[in-house]
Amino acid sequence: MKMSDLDELTQRFSSQSSAEKFEAADTPQQVLDEISLEGVARYIQSGNCKNVIFMTGAGISTSAGLPDFRTKTTGLYDQLEEYELPNPQRMFEIRYFMERPEPFFKLVKSLYPGDYKPTPCHYFIRLMSEKNVVLRNYTQNIDTLDKIAGMKDELIVEAHGGFSTAHCIGKECYTEYGQKWVRDEIFADRIPKCNNCGAIIKPDCAFFGEDMPKGFDKLVEEDFPKCDLLIVSGTSLMVQPFAAMINKVPATTPRLLINYELSGKIDPLMKFMGTSVGFNFDYADNYRDVFYLGSCDDGFYKLAELLGWKDELVQLIKTEHQKLDAAASSN
Ligand code: CNA
């Protein structure tokens, strides 16, 4: 499937599964003893929750100093005048990039991994994974902070790719280049070009109109039916097909959103039509969707506290940040 920023509702409606249609007619059993963060914590502590899936976005990295896309005034989409683009999305459209790669590489310079430290959210996910209850961490981020936080590679799915590899976009060529060489070119304000064919070299982060990473659809189909708690954080859920994945968990599975805004909520018209695609926060028949309104860091600290993991989390962050500081000063 290709990555797109198409009309969310159309996508969601067309991606409605039979389980969701069933749900509209017959509300499944409530798993949480209370629709609250406390209820989620008690569910995790109960031992019945063993396959947690995280779905995260740029908002979990903003406290590291990396701007997201869509937050008003601080988001990259509000700071793009200097790039002289007809609209912000153009920067990430593959056809536009092939004609005018300069804005993308200029932006990439400010986003490049290596200069930022993971946030409490990244370390919360790592800590939870060490309790053996995390099935997967699907991230839209390209900043590699999940890896830097020490999460196991097999748990991380970089849904929109990343910077660790890059490829020549020449049709017949497609030569792979390593992160360091590409980084050096970008930081020298040169457009990286292929030594073989002269075409542009693009870091392997997915643009609108490009395919999702290889194996992505299959993994989603395998993972999501097993999910017994979905935790979504730091995302506006505006990019497809990622956004529609919140609807792929079983109808009984509790879903927690930790975010500054209510993203991904069901459209009132769709609700009226009897569908249940999207988060159901505002309705009396909500039996599984919990919303923590606030910063991702505060939300995960609060959850850690409720779980009795707060001291462990604080200590983990301290130790890991010290290691990163030591590594940076020895370079
Ligand atoms: P987005 O559309 O910019 O949405 C971010 C969401 O997070 C919004 O709902 C914000 O309200 C919320 N948010 C921001 N900061 C916080 C915070 N501290 N606490 C709580 N909520 C917060 O970004 P998405 O990730 O939804 O969009 C997907 C794009 C963004 C992907 O293709 C990424 O590659 C791309 N992106 C990634 C990075 C990164 O890797 N760090 C940075 C910028 C953009």
Side-chain angles (χ1 to χ4, degrees):
M1 193 183 277
K2 291 192 192 305
M3 185 170 134
S4 70
D5 207 2
L6 297 173
D7 177 48
E8 221 183 342
L9 296 178
T10 317
Q11 286 280 336
R12 288 207 196 136
F13 193 50
S14 61
S15 66
Q16 189 185 18
S17 71
S18 53
E20 288 149 4
K21 283 173 188 151
F22 161 81
E23 184 193 332
D26 187 2
T27 302
Q29 193 193 347
Q30 179 171 326
V31 170
L32 300 177
D33 62 16
E34 184 183 271
I35 305 298
S36 65
L37 198 65
E38 287 77 5
V40 172
R42 283 192 292 273
Y43 173 50
I44 296 168
Q45 281 168 327
S46 73
N48 294 325
C49 171
K50 298 187 175 84
N51 288 311
V52 181
I53 291 183
F54 285 86
M55 286 174 57
T56 59
I60 74 159
S61 296
T62 53
S63 69
L66 284 157
D68 66 3
F69 274 173
R70 292 179 182 82
T71 293
K72 290 267 169 268
T73 67
T74 57
L76 290 168
Y77 280 5
D78 262 9
Q79 299 177 357
L80 291 178
E81 296 86 26
E82 59 181 300
Y83 298 93
E84 294 171 11
L85 292 161
N87 69 59
Q89 270 96 337
R90 276 292 168 95
M91 171 105 68
F92 308 98
E93 284 170 10
I94 192 68
R95 279 196 212 140
Y96 191 84
F97 172 80
M98 284 154 101
E99 284 166 23
R100 222 185 135 225
E102 293 80 8
F104 172 75
F105 284 113
K106 190 173 170 185
L107 176 79
V108 158
K109 237 179 120 173
S110 65
L111 281 182
Y112 227 85
D115 301 329
Y116 302 96
K117 284 191 204 129
T119 68
C121 316
H122 298 100
Y123 289 111
F124 178 92
I125 305 173
R126 171 176 159 185
L127 185 63
M128 193 176 216
S129 73
E130 288 168 355
K131 317 266 178 203
N132 293 321
V133 292
V134 175
L135 177 61
R136 212 77 65 189
N137 170 25
Y138 285 82
T139 179
Q140 294 169 97
N141 294 342
I142 49 179
D143 55 30
T144 67
L145 289 182
D146 305 88
K147 282 184 187 166
I148 297 170
M151 246 171 268
K152 284 188 186 149
D153 277 356
E154 63 265 31
L155 294 183
I156 305 169
V157 179
E158 289 178 324
H160 297 167
F163 284 92
S164 43
T165 53
H167 282 87
C168 154
I169 60 170
K171 266 196 182 127
E172 306 294 320
C173 186
Y174 201 61
T175 305
E176 182 168 321
Y177 287 82
Q179 182 170 5
K180 182 165 181 335
W181 184 83
V182 176
R183 187 183 199 278
D184 290 349
E185 288 295 288
I186 294 171
F187 276 74
D189 292 324
R190 288 189 291 267
I191 304 293
K193 295 269 176 71
C194 179
N195 295 327
N196 298 330
C197 73
I200 304 164
I201 295 159
K202 184 178 90 53
D204 290 336
C205 43
F207 279 21
F208 297 128
E210 284 195 302
D211 285 327
M212 299 299 279
K214 217 171 151 211
F216 178 82
D217 294 344
K218 188 167 177 280
L219 196 62
V220 169
E221 291 312 320
E222 283 168 12
D223 280 354
F224 278 68
K226 294 183 208 154
C227 174
D228 49 22
L229 173 65
L230 181 69
I231 302 182
V232 182
S233 190
T235 174
S236 61
L237 291 174
M238 294 294 282
V239 179
Q240 299 293 355
F242 193 90
M245 281 155 45
I246 64 166
N247 303 306
K248 287 188 175 289
V249 297
T252 45
T253 298
R255 303 182 296 191
L256 166 65
L257 172 71
I258 298 178
N259 212 40
Y260 273 151
E261 59 172 351
L262 260 175
S263 48
K265 63 178 176 172
I266 192 167
D267 178 77
L269 183 62
M270 294 291 177
K271 177 79 182 171
F272 179 73
M273 287 163 70
T275 79
S276 57
V277 177
F279 288 126
N280 199 29
F281 304 116
D282 299 336
Y283 296 92
D285 63 350
N286 176 22
Y287 61 91
R288 63 162 171 168
D289 290 337
V290 175
F291 177 43
Y292 178 91
L293 171 66
S295 82
C296 301
D297 290 351
D298 287 351
F300 282 107
Y301 271 133
K302 177 82 184 152
L303 185 56
E305 191 177 349
L306 292 168
L307 289 163
W309 302 350
K310 176 96 180 270
D311 292 345
E312 218 178 329
L313 179 61
V314 169
Q315 189 54 47
L316 178 66
I317 296 168
K318 196 174 159 201
T319 315
E320 291 299 311
H321 279 189
Q322 277 169 353
K323 279 190 209 162
L324 291 171
D325 287 339
S329 61
S330 69
N331 282 337

